[in-house]
Amino acid sequence: MKLRAVPKEATDMMSNLRSMASQDGGNTRSVIVDGISKKFGHGIFANAVLSDVSFSVEKNIAVGLVGESGSGKSTIGKIVCGMYGFDAGRLILADRQILPGQRLPTEVRRVISYIPQNPYSSFNPRLTLGQSLVEAISPMSSRMGRNRKTIVAWLERVGLPVDSADRFPHEFSGGQLQRLAIARGLICNPVIVVADEITSALDVSVQVQILSLLAELREEHGFAMLFISHDLAVVRNVCEQVMVMQSGEIVERGVSETVLTNPSHPYTQRLLDSIPGSPTFSLRI
């Protein structure tokens, strides 16, 4: 089945990134998730959302995480970022082991970044964009001061005018806000980036711009990325590897091109069949 293509510029950048990862040797793991389980609620009302999930993300590698809504994709991303705790297993982030009940140490939080799905709700409407970027650098302050030069440089890097720093979120489009969210996520030079459905609220032309920008920034900064998405075509073009999640478990993983063109698990095949335009696509419930 043929998946929607991403423009040549973005795929060329992905080829460069794959080459970088190969030269790096593939032996440096930025993230290790080992046997993670997670429940929400207590007692008879507890709902198991993750069950014995294990994977790793190598330096310079983007790993896609796909699955239906409710499969646990965003939950595992938020656990990696320290936004949620977990009940069993362990995390190893930036060479530090995190066990159930432990908070991420400050030095680990500084090297992990989360880019959220909804650009409209991810910024405080009472702060200028410059103040929001300052908070990413120094959470105890919202004054630009000595950070103005860094903020201006990042605004220019993501293709926004310098005066954006003094404007408020409601003055920007969704695509512009997502560029700002990417700048906020990368301004502290993270080692690990979790991108959670970052193009799902954008139209197709803006998606292409955002994905091209993200590919450029990966090439420049070499961060590892966990890319959560329901769009299999985007994952195939953005990520070197992919994991397929169903009901809180990873049911298939491997090289994106292989998994998304010749899947071995029936659930992955069902996801591919659900794409409009595929030979077996149907709206029947």
Side-chain angles (χ1 to χ4, degrees):
M1 188 203 68
K2 187 175 181 180
L3 296 176
R4 174 169 55 84
V6 169
K8 185 177 183 299
E9 309 89 81
T11 55
D12 287 347
M13 290 174 193
M14 285 307 306
S15 296
N16 292 339
L17 287 165
R18 291 187 181 101
S19 176
M20 288 167 55
S22 174
Q23 293 170 9
D24 188 61
N27 58 3
T28 302
R29 293 181 289 183
S30 296
V31 180
I32 299 175
V33 173
D34 184 15
I36 293 291
S37 295
K38 171 70 176 176
K39 293 180 179 179
F40 288 115
H42 302 280
I44 61 173
F45 300 106
N47 177 33
V49 292
L50 297 174
S51 178
D52 195 25
V53 174
S54 297
F55 63 87
S56 63
V57 181
E58 311 287 338
K59 181 181 178 182
N60 293 336
I61 291 290
V63 177
L65 184 58
V66 302
E68 296 172 302
S69 296
S71 60
K73 307 186 302 296
S74 290
T75 299
I76 195 66
K78 290 176 179 178
I79 287 174
V80 169
C81 292
M83 299 166 70
Y84 288 164
F86 53 97
D87 303 318
R90 64 173 184 156
L91 292 175
I92 299 178
L93 305 170
D95 299 322
R96 294 288 299 270
Q97 178 173 264
I98 315 298
L99 298 174
Q102 295 181 341
R103 293 174 59 85
L104 297 190
T106 301
E107 62 271 23
V108 174
R109 287 180 177 272
R110 296 293 289 177
V111 299
I112 300 176
S113 178
Y114 178 78
I115 304 175
Q117 175 179 1
N118 189 340
Y120 297 99
S121 63
S122 66
F123 288 94
N124 186 332
R126 298 184 177 183
L127 298 181
T128 65
L129 272 302
Q131 290 172 323
S132 291
L133 293 178
V134 168
E135 285 193 338
I137 300 170
S138 179
M140 302 303 292
S141 174
S142 61
R143 296 182 178 180
M144 292 181 63
R146 61 182 181 180
N147 295 307
R148 177 172 285 274
K149 186 177 292 187
T150 299
I151 290 167
V152 166
W154 270 102
L155 288 173
E156 292 178 334
R157 181 62 194 86
V158 298
L160 291 171
V162 172
D163 66 359
S164 299
D166 301 314
R167 295 162 61 190
F168 290 88
H170 71 270
E171 300 178 60
F172 295 88
S173 68
Q176 290 173 321
L177 284 176
Q178 198 59 282
R179 289 174 178 270
L180 288 160
I182 290 171
R184 181 178 58 185
L186 301 183
I187 201 166
C188 289
N189 296 314
V191 175
I192 307 154
V193 173
V194 176
D196 189 359
E197 298 273 14
I198 64 170
T199 60
S200 63
L202 308 174
D203 64 44
V204 174
S205 62
V206 178
Q207 285 184 26
V208 170
Q209 296 170 15
I210 295 299
L211 293 172
S212 295
L213 173 63
L214 193 61
E216 291 173 7
L217 292 169
R218 278 192 61 213
E219 191 170 21
E220 291 171 15
H221 298 277
F223 50 83
M225 181 167 66
L226 181 63
F227 188 87
I228 300 166
S229 180
H230 65 276
D231 191 324
L232 304 185
V234 167
V235 168
R236 180 180 173 184
N237 284 280
V238 169
C239 303
E240 293 86 357
Q241 300 172 9
V242 65
M243 303 181 293
V244 181
M245 180 166 274
Q246 179 186 27
S247 301
E249 299 181 358
I250 294 174
V251 297
E252 186 168 2
R253 72 186 75 197
V255 175
S256 299
E257 185 72 20
T258 302
V259 171
L260 297 178
T261 55
N262 187 28
S264 61
H265 195 279
Y267 177 71
T268 309
Q269 186 62 60
R270 291 210 309 273
L271 289 179
L272 290 167
D273 291 343
S274 70
I275 299 173
S278 69
T280 55
F281 174 72
S282 173
L283 291 176
R284 289 180 299 174
I285 299 176

